[in-house]
Amino acid sequence: MVLASGCTAEGESAGRESKGGGTGESGGAGRPGATRGGGDGDGPAPAPAPTVEADPAKVPRTKAAAGRLIGQVIAGPELFGSEARRDSPYESDPDTWSVLDENCVWQREPLPERVLATLTRHFVRPAAEGKGAVRMTVTVTVHPATADAAWEQAGMLEEALGCSEQTLSEGRKLSNLFSNASVWGEGGNNFAEDSLFEIGTCSSADEGGPYPYQYQQATFGPVVVSMSACAGEGWDAQGLLNEVNGPVPRMLLRAEKQIGRPVDGTGAKADPAGWAVPGAAGDTTAAATEGM
């Protein structure tokens, strides 16, 4: 297992400075088939082979095309359930993304060369039934090539080494961060080429804390999708996971639908109910076909 750590600026869930400019061909593993691989009874069944990959003929090559893809992929409040609402501000400046500075504070900076387009949306689940509000974000970033998306994932490792605690631009602090990174078929990751899952706590002068914090990021070809959630009073980590475990696999499915192609000529598609969410207790799953 690889340890990583990452977080957000202005409550955002992605948009990190790319640590390198890859030029690899777009493509790579997609989602599993509907059945899991069999075992001989001596150990866990192997991860099924992916059946979908990014099609180089379909991936965006321009900023405009990348922006259109983001509009087709990024989640709205419906992916967080009927109680979620747009927060204010709702969308980030699409010409900037989040970068962790030398003081471990997240700032907005202009997009680097190896990012075609990115967008973050902010949501809130209002306080209800004795539990505080949950503030959530989703981000979709489109790079020129799959290698660039891999560099964005790898950049989280450097952030963890340099900043054990991090501060969002509005003053909210993230602490006690622990993350795991899993490539396809490892660590329960049977739904993405590369998946990161983080837990920790968040706190602020206005809202108190510490409260549970979770972050998830995954890739499909040159597309990186992510989600962060900072809970309020009355929430525990498992309850927060159950509340926000759907948007990342659902956004990946949307990306797959737009720029994917079958692997080895097969047309099989995954059974979304079988996709495990990394870091969940047991086999927490997401019904990823909802909200398409």
Side-chain angles (χ1 to χ4, degrees):
M1 177 177 293
V2 179
L3 295 183
S5 181
C7 70
T8 62
E10 301 175 349
E12 295 171 9
S13 58
R16 295 163 179 78
E17 182 74 55
S18 180
K19 305 305 181 194
T23 57
E25 179 78 344
S26 296
R31 303 198 196 288
T35 59
R36 298 184 182 275
D40 58 7
D42 295 330
T51 61
V52 182
E53 64 184 1
D55 186 344
K58 296 179 180 179
V59 299
R61 301 298 181 189
T62 66
K63 179 179 177 66
R68 288 192 294 270
L69 177 61
I70 288 174
Q72 295 166 323
V73 171
I74 194 166
E78 74 283 350
L79 292 195
F80 289 97
S82 60
E83 296 178 338
R85 301 289 184 268
R86 296 185 180 190
D87 205 353
S88 180
Y90 177 50
E91 293 186 341
S92 65
D93 178 354
D95 292 324
T96 65
W97 76 340
S98 300
V99 177
L100 189 64
D101 70 16
E102 61 183 8
N103 297 316
C104 300
V105 176
W106 287 94
Q107 308 284 355
R108 300 294 299 186
E109 293 189 1
L111 299 183
E113 179 182 357
R114 301 304 299 182
V115 173
L116 290 176
T118 188
L119 184 66
T120 294
R121 287 179 174 174
H122 307 257
F123 310 100
V124 60
R125 180 192 186 277
E129 300 178 354
K131 292 184 177 181
V134 179
R135 300 195 180 278
M136 305 160 292
T137 66
V138 293
T139 299
V140 178
T141 301
V142 179
H143 293 274
T146 297
D148 300 315
W151 276 110
E152 183 177 339
Q153 298 283 83
M156 295 185 70
L157 292 169
E158 297 181 27
E159 295 162 9
L161 292 173
C163 296
S164 59
E165 294 191 354
Q166 300 163 5
T167 303
L168 309 184
S169 60
E170 77 279 10
R172 184 174 289 113
K173 294 185 180 295
L174 302 181
S175 305
N176 303 314
L177 300 177
F178 175 82
S179 301
N180 68 66
S182 302
V183 297
W184 175 268
E186 295 182 356
N189 175 21
N190 293 338
F191 78 109
E193 296 170 356
D194 193 0
S195 177
L196 302 168
F197 189 83
E198 178 176 85
I199 59 174
T201 61
C202 57
S203 60
S204 69
D206 293 337
E207 299 176 2
Y211 304 125
Y213 167 82
Q214 292 176 8
Y215 175 85
Q216 187 177 3
Q217 180 170 302
T219 67
F220 179 70
V223 179
V224 181
V225 303
S226 59
M227 180 281 310
S228 71
C230 179
E233 187 174 4
W235 288 91
D236 60 24
Q238 185 61 47
L240 180 61
L241 175 61
N242 293 339
E243 185 75 12
V244 300
N245 70 358
V248 166
R250 293 174 184 177
M251 288 190 292
L252 281 181
L253 182 60
R254 290 175 173 181
E256 180 182 299
K257 181 179 179 181
Q258 295 298 323
I259 64 170
R261 67 180 180 186
V263 174
D264 296 330
T266 65
K269 295 294 290 182
D271 175 5
W275 301 346
V277 176
D283 265 338
T284 305
T285 59
T289 52
E290 298 177 12
M292 285 295 297

